[in-house]
Amino acid sequence: MVFNSLEFFIFLPVVFILYWFVLKKNLKVQNVFLLLCSYLFYGWWDWRFLSLIFLSTLVDYFIGLQIHKDTNRKRVWLWCSILFNIGLLGFFKYFNFFIASWIDACQLVGYDIKSTWTLKILLPVGISFYTFQTMSYSFDIYYQRLKPTKDFLGFAAFVSFFPQLVAGPIERASNLLSQILNKRTFSYEQCVSGLKLILWGLFKKVVIADALAPIVDDVFANYNDYSASTLIMGIVFFSFQVYGDFSGYSDIAIGTSKLFGIELMSNFKFPNFSRNVAEYWQRWHVSLSTWFRHYIYIPLGGSRESKLKSIRNICIIFLVSGFWHGANWTFIFWGAFHAIVFVTVFLMGRNAIYKNSVIGQNTVLPSFLEVIQVLVTFAIVSFSRIFFRSQSITDAFQFIGRMFSNFSYAPYAHPSGYRMLDYYILIALFVIYEYAIRKDERNPFKFKYKAVRFVLYTVVILAMLLFYDSSIDRSFIYFQF
């Protein structure tokens, strides 16, 4: 079941009404209901996936209790959690990748191996997200940041909480589990805030991401047929597509959680206005960046030791991040590229200078320097996405080669015949609007006058009706991760 489907628009109000107006008096019953609804939501893709999420829940629930109880062997129990979850990911996500890479390596040294070991493995939706979430629970108990819960059903509801189950945010138990285990109260203001975020998230998905998808698909599939100007346009459009798609999902997830009295962490903080790559990673997929910082970077020593070790830790984080995204060398190159750029910023001592500020912090318009910084950062990040979007390393380098060797301009024709000027205007307006709300990612319609808000709601809804295209794949990009 996906957020932008008819099934979800039936599912959500039914669950909301039963949750608040029938079951509100009993927290345990509410949590069991949430668990069942989450399993229904997740099993909608393939009921066989449910066995994996249940097994992951069962294992980390038991291990959490053992880490707390058996302190003499808590490191052993922690490693059991790590190896189990990484083992799940390794088999379902990376088995064929490792086999294919091993065969390729053998062929390079003269051994021709026929591939009979690859398996037809169906990648469970969201497995990278919920395995990291359950692992964080074990880590937090190990580091004594959290005591384990004995409420198995509450823990199962935490692991499978349907708004953020498939593509995050990746929540820590100290935030989400604590809310699930404590009584929630209905708040009209919280629900209204949630509905606004859902509306904004759907707009970004339908009007930005889905509208740009056919153009991006065409450019990357036929890059040999296009000029450099069209390839650059394709890269820029993909940056807006993946941002609209993923941040749109996060907005819907956060907004839907609000409807049930639960607050999730912000996952995107207007990353397109970042002034260097370090700031970009403080604003893009915040829950994953935070996870890596807390559970890998800091345990490795963080930035507390020598610069050489700090650089090592940064490189490890980005290579792991690339590998987390998918079983393809393109993602490894993407992670390595960001590691190189981030290390450069780190060595210049500029990796934390924008941590507590936004572009145009105390002014209406950004300075000329800030505009240049944002454009340069956007260009660097967009260039890296050639690796992210390409099907193979060969395609990525051929795309880059074509872009730098074919310095010509040729107008691009939309594959469905639509006027391209409309898309340029759409992106320009989207950027202007996001700049206007850049200081509060959780309130996209924060304007003083009701009439202004009413006009915005109307425009957003009409735009979704206008741009909705039932012929394209409406699933979210990050479902594949």
Side-chain angles (χ1 to χ4, degrees):
M1 195 181 301
V2 294
F3 288 154
N4 53 330
S5 67
L6 177 62
E7 295 91 342
F8 184 74
F9 283 106
I10 297 172
F11 170 84
L12 182 59
V14 171
V15 173
F16 176 83
I17 291 169
L18 292 174
Y19 178 87
W20 282 120
F21 301 106
V22 177
L23 308 172
K24 66 177 181 178
K25 293 183 179 180
N26 191 314
L27 176 63
K28 180 76 73 174
V29 174
Q30 265 191 338
N31 285 343
V32 171
F33 179 65
L34 269 184
L35 175 62
L36 293 174
C37 291
S38 297
Y39 272 42
L40 173 63
F41 177 87
Y42 189 64
W44 202 265
W45 280 282
D46 191 325
W47 62 270
R48 292 173 295 179
F49 294 163
L50 294 174
S51 60
L52 285 177
I53 195 169
F54 178 76
L55 180 61
S56 184
T57 301
L58 188 65
V59 168
D60 279 295
Y61 171 78
F62 174 76
I63 287 176
L65 293 173
Q66 291 303 115
I67 291 173
H68 183 70
K69 179 182 177 182
D70 191 0
T71 54
N72 292 329
R73 291 187 292 180
K74 68 177 186 176
R75 182 182 291 271
V76 174
W77 286 111
L78 176 65
W79 273 105
C80 288
S81 174
I82 294 171
L83 292 175
F84 170 76
N85 286 290
I86 297 301
L88 274 184
L89 277 176
F91 178 74
F92 284 97
K93 194 168 182 177
Y94 303 109
F95 180 85
N96 286 338
F97 170 76
F98 286 128
I99 293 296
S101 297
W102 180 71
I103 292 171
D104 291 342
C106 288
Q107 289 175 342
L108 283 175
V109 295
Y111 291 96
D112 188 14
I113 299 177
K114 301 298 180 184
S115 175
T116 57
W117 294 8
T118 55
L119 302 175
K120 292 183 178 179
I121 300 173
L122 185 63
L123 180 64
V125 177
I127 188 171
S128 296
F129 290 87
Y130 68 73
T131 51
F132 268 42
Q133 187 154 302
T134 57
M135 263 197 295
S136 73
Y137 174 74
S138 299
F139 275 118
D140 284 345
I141 295 172
Y142 176 83
Y143 288 115
Q144 298 181 339
R145 300 168 183 151
L146 185 74
K147 290 185 178 180
T149 179
K150 294 182 179 179
D151 184 349
F152 176 74
L153 294 175
F155 179 73
F158 153 73
V159 175
S160 63
F161 186 50
F162 75 88
Q164 50 86 231
L165 170 62
V166 178
I170 303 170
E171 281 290 348
R172 297 175 67 176
S174 56
N175 180 42
L176 179 54
L177 180 59
S178 61
Q179 294 183 75
I180 287 178
L181 296 180
N182 289 285
K183 186 174 179 60
R184 280 110 31 206
T185 56
F186 178 81
S187 167
Y188 173 80
E189 292 76 15
Q190 191 179 31
C191 288
V192 170
S193 175
L195 289 172
K196 290 177 181 178
L197 273 173
I198 292 171
L199 181 62
W200 184 237
L202 286 171
F203 173 85
K204 287 196 281 189
K205 169 60 175 171
V206 174
V207 179
I208 304 298
D210 288 354
L212 296 176
I215 301 172
V216 173
D217 292 344
D218 177 51
V219 171
F220 275 87
N222 305 291
Y223 59 85
N224 281 316
D225 299 331
Y226 291 121
S227 65
S229 62
T230 296
L231 298 186
I232 293 170
M233 179 206 70
I235 298 166
V236 172
F237 276 21
F238 178 62
S239 284
F240 282 103
Q241 181 200 359
V242 72
Y243 170 67
D245 193 281
F246 195 17
S247 70
Y249 180 96
S250 294
D251 287 343
I252 299 169
I254 295 168
T256 302
S257 298
K258 284 176 173 286
L259 297 183
F260 298 96
I262 291 174
E263 294 287 341
L264 301 181
M265 68 182 297
S266 294
N267 209 21
F268 288 86
K269 300 180 178 181
F270 305 107
N272 290 332
F273 298 122
S274 301
R275 288 155 288 186
N276 62 32
V277 170
E279 184 184 11
Y280 171 82
W281 281 107
Q282 293 160 14
R283 296 178 175 278
W284 173 275
H285 203 176
V286 177
S287 64
L288 182 65
S289 301
T290 303
W291 198 99
F292 283 132
R293 184 169 68 250
H294 280 290
Y295 303 119
I296 299 181
Y297 185 71
I298 292 176
L300 285 173
S303 303
R304 298 188 302 272
E305 301 183 35
S306 65
K307 276 198 173 181
L308 188 61
K309 287 187 176 180
S310 297
I311 291 170
R312 178 205 64 183
N313 297 340
I314 290 168
C315 291
I316 290 172
I317 289 297
F318 280 105
L319 289 175
V320 172
S321 176
F323 203 45
W324 177 90
H325 279 84
N328 194 320
W329 285 105
T330 55
F331 295 114
I332 305 297
F333 270 75
W334 172 78
F337 179 90
H338 274 280
I340 293 168
V341 178
F342 193 100
V343 165
T344 303
V345 175
F346 173 77
L347 291 175
M348 294 170 63
R350 301 182 66 82
N351 54 301
I353 60 173
Y354 300 124
K355 194 170 183 179
N356 298 311
S357 68
V358 297
I359 180 176
Q361 179 73 31
N362 300 310
T363 58
V364 175
L365 296 175
S367 68
F368 178 74
L369 176 60
E370 286 179 320
V371 172
I372 297 301
Q373 289 173 319
V374 167
L375 290 175
V376 170
T377 303
F378 183 81
I380 292 171
V381 171
S382 296
F383 179 83
S384 75
R385 288 192 171 119
I386 297 173
F387 295 100
F388 195 94
R389 179 61 177 75
S390 297
Q391 295 297 312
S392 68
I393 285 294
T394 301
D395 284 331
F397 281 109
Q398 287 181 351
F399 189 106
I400 294 169
R402 176 77 178 174
M403 186 172 67
F404 284 104
S405 64
N406 184 25
F407 294 101
S408 61
Y409 170 79
Y412 176 77
H414 191 285
S416 298
Y418 300 134
R419 193 174 68 159
M420 288 303 299
L421 178 61
D422 295 339
Y423 291 85
Y424 303 138
I425 294 172
L426 171 67
I427 290 176
L429 292 175
F430 178 64
V431 170
I432 292 170
Y433 187 81
E434 285 226 314
Y435 179 82
I437 61 172
R438 68 195 181 282
K439 295 182 180 180
D440 189 357
E441 73 278 358
R442 298 181 78 97
N443 195 343
F445 301 104
K446 189 177 182 179
F447 293 93
K448 181 178 180 180
Y449 299 105
K450 288 184 178 180
V452 173
R453 296 197 300 272
F454 177 78
V455 170
L456 289 172
Y457 299 146
T458 304
V459 169
V460 165
I461 293 171
L462 289 176
M464 286 193 291
L465 293 174
L466 178 64
F467 280 87
Y468 179 79
D469 186 351
S470 60
S471 66
I472 65 173
D473 181 9
R474 291 174 290 159
S475 61
F476 289 83
I477 293 173
Y478 266 68
F479 281 11
Q480 63 185 296
F481 305 135

